Amino acid sequence: MPFGEIVCGSPGSGKSTYCYGKHQLFTALQRPISIVNLDPANDTLPYPCAIDISSLITLGDVMEEHGLGPNGGMLYCMEYLEANFDWLEERLKELGEDAYVLFDLPGQVELSTNHESVKNIVEKLTKNSFRLAAVHLCDAHYITDASKYISVLLLSLRAMLQLELPHINVLSKIDLLSQYGDLDFNLDFYTEVQDLSYLENTLSASLPPRFSALNMAMISLIEDYGLVGFETLAVEDKNLMLNLTRVIDRATGYIFVPPAESNQPPGTIEEHNLGPAARPNTYALFTSAVAPLQGPGSNIRDIQERWIDAKEEYDAFERKEWRKEGELVRDQAARASKIRERKTPSKPGSNNSNAMQL
């Protein structure tokens, strides 16, 4: 059974960067991963692409042929993909039953909030036995402004209701948050979407008084649904990437079965020749489905200390550790080269000639 993620979000939220970082992480973990680019305007992909929509249609060709603007052309491309879904279906089958696929969507938010084509494509994928989760990326700097934070909450809620998938909202670029000034509240206020009535004074100060009733109505709408919450992400932070991966795996029900030759605790891998989809693994099942999400990237207070309160100190410490690690690797390489030099066999007859000279 193939699994995957629908990676969506507004332009500049870091979707392609996330896909590239996920590819690097999964490659290191020996987990299968394939990336499908569904953005017909993205012609500079940072990641290796298994399937590219530009092989089917490009935004430039649509704009030139039909005289459409960028937004209208993008909607046309998605409708064209929906009408030619068999093109995508055939190429996905080539990835195999154990595939894990990231679908990198365009940045136009209306595709995941209002337009029906992406929703219909997702429904067809689920009918083809794909187990999917929506990963909705939002730039973390929006939480520094109360009105922008409310708009991000509404956008996330609308995408959740539209796509009808297990949904993980993510505050991306959390490592850059300190550049935008101090937060009015701790980070957990924003990630857990706590009592939003505390934002009333801030909203009233930034908007005319006639909008106060509208502000409270939007706050009540978000709180009545009670669906929105956020994970945090800095792509270069391995701990945050691993924590987000565990959250997504739990949402989709994905159980990663490591290869039999991998370095895992004894007794945690059942050794036989079946593929990962057919090989039972009790340890992995209960670790993913039952165990609490604990780890360096799961505590929001640790994330605030690392990336907001003491970012410079942590950065200096990490640079020092990287320097030590580099020096250690260099010393090990030097010692290994000296050992090879000592073990290099001498030329035939050289020992005898030396002995004769003595």
Side-chain angles (χ1 to χ4, degrees), residues 66-103:
H66 298 282
L68 298 172
N71 288 336
M74 187 64 70
L75 298 180
Y76 181 92
C77 290
M78 291 298 103
E79 292 172 357
Y80 189 83
L81 177 62
E82 180 189 355
N84 295 271
F85 180 78
D86 55 342
W87 174 88
L88 179 61
E89 184 179 16
E90 292 175 1
R91 283 154 181 79
L92 289 173
K93 288 181 179 179
E94 296 174 358
L95 301 179
E97 294 182 356
D98 297 329
Y100 191 97
V101 185
L102 302 186
F103 296 90

Side-chain angles (χ1 to χ4, degrees), residues 28 31 73-74 113 118 132 135 146 164 166 185 199 213 226 230 299 316 356:
R31 281 184 60 163
M74 187 64 70
T113 58
V118 170
L132 297 172
V135 179
E164 297 181 344
F185 305 94
L199 298 175
F230 292 97
N299 192 321
M356 291 175 63

Side-chain angles (χ1 to χ4, degrees), residues 232-281:
T232 56
L233 176 66
V235 173
E236 69 274 14
D237 190 328
K238 178 181 66 176
N239 294 324
L240 291 182
M241 286 290 287
L242 288 171
N243 180 70
L244 181 57
T245 298
R246 288 192 292 267
V247 173
I248 297 171
D249 287 348
R250 178 170 290 188
T252 59
Y254 182 85
I255 305 298
F256 173 53
V257 181
E261 66 275 9
S262 61
N263 185 20
Q264 296 291 323
T268 60
I269 299 179
E270 300 182 20
E271 299 180 2
H272 47 72
N273 297 325
L274 294 177
R279 185 176 352 134
N281 191 291

Side-chain angles (χ1 to χ4, degrees), residues 162-181:
Q162 172 75 3
L163 295 178
E164 297 181 344
L165 288 173
H167 202 99
I168 295 93
N169 297 302
V170 182
L171 292 177
S172 62
K173 304 180 184 179
I174 199 72
D175 52 317
L176 304 179
L177 191 57
S178 59
Q179 300 178 6
Y180 298 94

Side-chain angles (χ1 to χ4, degrees), residues 186-257:
N186 288 332
L187 187 59
D188 59 351
F189 174 86
Y190 301 97
T191 57
E192 298 173 6
V193 191
Q194 297 176 2
D195 190 353
L196 297 179
S197 62
Y198 287 107
L199 298 175
E200 180 181 4
N201 293 334
T202 306
L203 292 171
S204 300
S206 59
L207 295 172
R210 66 177 182 274
F211 290 115
S212 58
L214 176 62
N215 293 335
M216 295 310 299
M218 289 189 294
I219 288 175
S220 298
L221 174 66
I222 296 168
E223 292 183 335
D224 288 345
Y225 273 97
L227 296 176
V228 186
F230 292 97
E231 300 294 329
T232 56
L233 176 66
V235 173
E236 69 274 14
D237 190 328
K238 178 181 66 176
N239 294 324
L240 291 182
M241 286 290 287
L242 288 171
N243 180 70
L244 181 57
T245 298
R246 288 192 292 267
V247 173
I248 297 171
D249 287 348
R250 178 170 290 188
T252 59
Y254 182 85
I255 305 298
F256 173 53
V257 181

